Amino acid sequence: RVMDLIYWKDTERTGMVFTGLVVVLLSLFQLSIITVISTISLGALCFTVSVSLYYKILHVLNMGDGVPPFKAYLDLDISFSGELADQYTQKVIVAVVSAANSLKNLFLVGNLFDSLKLLALMYLVTFLGDLCNGLTVLIIGVIALFSLPLVYRQHQAKVDGFVAGIQANVDNAKDILHRIAQGGGPTPDTTPGGAKPKTQ
């Protein structure tokens, strides 16, 4: 369902979700999160109560069957079985432990190059923080989430070629840095099968 939303399989539903997310995030620029949550809750309750009263009035006037308007959602089972809950709990624990180990290795210099890359990234993030706040980045992320996958699907060949070129340059740079860290050395022979004997 999430992928269907991202790829705009159901345009109406995706439009509602996308618009709602952007409106909520934009509201946080002017209002506190408590005000935004309470206002949204108030609007939702006014809507559901009004619709329920309308259906009850129709039932009293013998113009309806008396079925609650949200019965399908009320009957929806969202509970977890014990086994499923254990599986999700284990996945969360594994993810947390893995993230903690990664952070430990990064901040305690388990790998020098990885720690230097994190240092450079954090340095760049400081400039990003001067340009915009976290809420702006979050809004940009939501817009990108609902637009970039669709653009990628429409121009997949061009994007893949561009990414492959960047990856090749990155691999070359990493190879150079790795050889420098090991004290230099001859450039590896890229000819298939190694060096060829010179022909007379």
Side-chain angles (χ1 to χ4, degrees):
R1 292 183 179 181
V2 174
M3 297 305 295
D4 288 345
L5 287 175
I6 293 176
Y7 284 103
W8 295 78
K9 294 291 184 64
D10 188 340
T11 306
E12 181 178 354
R13 179 175 297 180
T14 301
M16 292 175 59
V17 173
F18 175 68
T19 304
L21 287 174
V22 173
V23 168
V24 169
L25 292 174
L26 289 175
S27 300
L28 292 175
F29 274 114
Q30 302 295 331
L31 304 171
S32 67
I33 188 170
I34 297 176
T35 304
V36 172
I37 293 176
S38 60
T39 302
I40 293 175
S41 301
L42 181 63
L45 282 171
C46 288
F47 171 75
T48 54
V49 170
S50 300
V51 172
S52 297
L53 289 175
Y54 174 72
Y55 272 73
K56 287 185 178 297
I57 292 173
L58 290 179
H59 179 60
V60 170
L61 298 177
N62 295 323
M63 298 176 62
D65 53 9
V67 178
F70 307 107
K71 181 175 176 54
Y73 298 100
L74 290 172
D75 295 338
L76 186 64
D77 185 15
I78 58 175
S79 61
F80 283 142
S81 64
E83 182 179 353
L84 187 59
D86 290 339
Q87 291 179 0
Y88 281 112
T89 303
Q90 291 176 1
K91 289 182 179 180
V92 170
I93 293 175
V94 170
V96 170
V97 172
S98 177
N101 285 329
S102 299
L103 292 175
K104 179 187 66 175
N105 291 328
L106 288 171
F107 283 96
L108 299 181
V109 196
N111 184 291
L112 180 59
F113 282 106
D114 290 341
S115 297
L116 289 176
K117 287 189 290 185
L118 179 64
L119 177 65
L121 177 62
M122 292 298 102
Y123 181 71
L124 295 175
V125 169
T126 58
F127 289 100
L128 181 63
D130 293 335
L131 295 175
C132 57
N133 56 26
L135 191 56
T136 304
V137 175
L138 187 59
I139 294 175
I140 295 174
V142 170
I143 295 175
L145 179 65
F146 282 89
S147 58
L148 292 183
L150 191 60
V151 172
Y152 173 73
R153 171 172 287 185
Q154 294 175 348
H155 306 281
Q156 184 173 357
K158 295 180 180 179
V159 174
D160 287 345
F162 181 73
V163 172
I166 294 178
Q167 185 64 41
N169 293 329
V170 171
D171 290 340
N172 290 335
K174 289 171 64 176
D175 180 64
I176 293 173
L177 292 175
H178 182 69
R179 285 188 281 111
I180 292 175
Q182 291 183 340
T187 304
D189 186 7
T190 57
T191 304
K196 303 293 183 181
K198 294 183 179 179
T199 56
Q200 299 297 331

